[in-house]
Amino acid sequence: MGTTPLRWLTAQRLLEARPLLESTDLPVDEVARRCGLGTAANLRLHLARDAATTPTAYRRAFRGRPDAPA
């Protein structure tokens, strides 16, 4: 796959976190817990590495974004 198991797992957890940030008002701590990252600090760290943004900025940018056409 070209990646380590930990990086793959972290990417999957971020894929789970993104829709929660986009479509809910859950606190960042709760989003992190639900997607398996544990803490808001971990979510911030990994989202910054992956998308160069914070959870709050990501939420603001993508909140209510219409789904892509099928």
Side-chain angles (χ1 to χ4, degrees), residues 27-65:
V28 175
D29 278 319
E30 181 63 15
V31 171
R33 188 190 66 74
R34 287 189 184 195
C35 68
L37 288 168
T39 66
N42 266 344
L43 177 54
R44 285 185 196 98
L45 172 72
H46 292 295
L47 193 60
R49 286 181 181 166
D50 186 66
T53 191
T54 66
T56 303
Y58 182 89
R59 178 174 269 164
R60 201 173 343 169
F62 294 99
R63 163 82 54 186
R65 193 174 98 186

